[in-house]
Amino acid sequence: MARVELFARTEIGCVRERNEDAFVVANVRTGERGLRPGTTLQELGIGVTLIGVCDGMGGAAAGDIASKIGAETLYETLMSSTPLGDHASVQEAMLSAVAAANRAILDYARSHPGKRGMGTTMTAALVYGHELYVLNVGDSRGYLRRGRALTQLTTDHSVVGQMIASGQLTPEQGRSYEHRNVLLQALGVQPVIQPEIVHVSLRAGDVLLMCSDGLTGPLEDARILELMLKYQDPVRCCRALTEAACAAGGPDNVTVAVGRFVGEGLQIPQGREPVSVRRASHTLQ
């Protein structure tokens, strides 16, 4: 039986006064959510698995509320879209969910003037059969570990992310760039958003990592990969990653979700088979 083993964890870090991150883990077939037996172990091919990470922004402007609205709206919209009958409907449901989340945060800010400026990133994954779809707005990230290689699936919607993508900066230079925290996109900021959807065919042994930048800020990808290789169990891996981010200074809230794909039925990777990423950007209002 092919299955995904899941876990998620969030920590306030060492500097922030409150946690503005939020995550959601759910079994879309049953509607069950949270870290429960029916969500942390799911059989592939029967239903749809949801993993989402939101990193709120705005401080006093209620980034914690924005991330919570984002995660709640993501879950509720996807549940109202079921059953998801094919790959096209999965992607359509994801786009509907992120558009609904953007509207919900904008509406909340309009009705609460003191919260103007609130917003959140969103990185959400749906597992449909043996296929993985990751949607992204902002600079939270999705990675896939295959063998001993770690591939960043998402593109950072930030000034630094754009400069790295265009070749103006290397990833190493981007870590110390002055404006590395300036986002080009977030939910709840503008009526129009341009989410990216990434599609990957899963292989046996693949490990998905979803995280806020509280992990990728203090830890380099090489260190993240080292810990993922050392701790195969998702529960221990989530704990090791969050604790390492805090040990490195914990400058921000840190949230991680890890999904390990195992069992019969999944195609075995051929040698050092690279992760084949198909991506598309969409404009929504």
Side-chain angles (χ1 to χ4, degrees), residues 215-228:
L215 180 73
T216 56
L219 299 185
E220 296 183 357
D221 285 4
R223 176 59 173 156
I224 293 171
L225 174 59
E226 178 186 358
L227 292 168
M228 292 180 72

Side-chain angles (χ1 to χ4, degrees), residues 149-282:
L150 186 65
T151 300
Q152 183 178 334
L153 303 178
T154 55
T155 303
D156 293 348
H157 297 150
S158 63
V159 170
V160 165
Q162 188 176 66
M163 295 178 73
I164 291 173
S166 64
Q168 295 174 268
L169 290 176
T170 66
E172 292 73 22
Q173 291 171 331
R175 296 182 62 81
S176 58
Y177 187 71
E178 181 180 3
H179 303 295
R180 62 188 178 277
N181 294 323
V182 178
L183 292 179
L184 299 177
Q185 280 202 76
L187 300 185
V189 178
Q190 297 290 340
V192 177
I193 54 173
Q194 293 182 302
E196 173 188 60
I197 291 185
V198 175
H199 174 206
V200 173
S201 294
L202 293 166
R203 299 289 184 263
D206 283 353
V207 180
L208 173 68
L209 169 65
M210 310 280 285
C211 61
S212 64
D213 68 345
L215 180 73
T216 56
L219 299 185
E220 296 183 357
D221 285 4
R223 176 59 173 156
I224 293 171
L225 174 59
E226 178 186 358
L227 292 168
M228 292 180 72
L229 289 169
K230 183 177 181 179
Y231 299 99
Q232 301 289 325
D233 175 69
V235 177
R236 296 182 69 193
C237 187
C238 284
R239 180 173 181 174
L241 289 169
T242 54
E243 289 183 349
C246 291
D252 201 353
N253 312 139
V254 54
T255 299
V256 299
V258 174
R260 181 172 64 169
F261 300 92
V262 295
E264 296 181 2
L266 282 165
Q267 186 174 330
I268 297 173
Q270 302 301 306
R272 296 183 179 180
E273 179 183 347
V275 176
S276 177
V277 178
R278 289 149 282 179
R279 66 180 74 246
S281 295
H282 305 264

Side-chain angles (χ1 to χ4, degrees), residues 2-6 26-29 39 42-52 78 84 86-87 90 94 124-135 144 198-203 206 208 210 258-262 266:
R3 64 191 185 277
V4 57
E5 301 169 350
L6 291 172
N27 184 325
V28 179
R29 179 178 65 87
T39 59
Q42 299 186 41
E43 185 175 349
L44 302 183
I46 291 181
V48 180
T49 302
L50 167 65
I51 310 167
L78 287 173
L84 301 173
D86 53 32
H87 297 285
V90 169
M94 296 184 82
L126 282 182
V127 183
Y128 181 81
H130 296 177
E131 305 297 314
L132 170 68
Y133 297 89
V134 179
L135 177 145
L144 195 72
V198 175
H199 174 206
V200 173
S201 294
L202 293 166
R203 299 289 184 263
D206 283 353
L208 173 68
M210 310 280 285
V258 174
R260 181 172 64 169
F261 300 92
V262 295
L266 282 165

Side-chain angles (χ1 to χ4, degrees), residues 30-44:
T30 64
E32 190 174 5
R33 62 182 297 185
L35 300 175
R36 303 175 180 179
T39 59
T40 57
L41 180 61
Q42 299 186 41
E43 185 175 349
L44 302 183

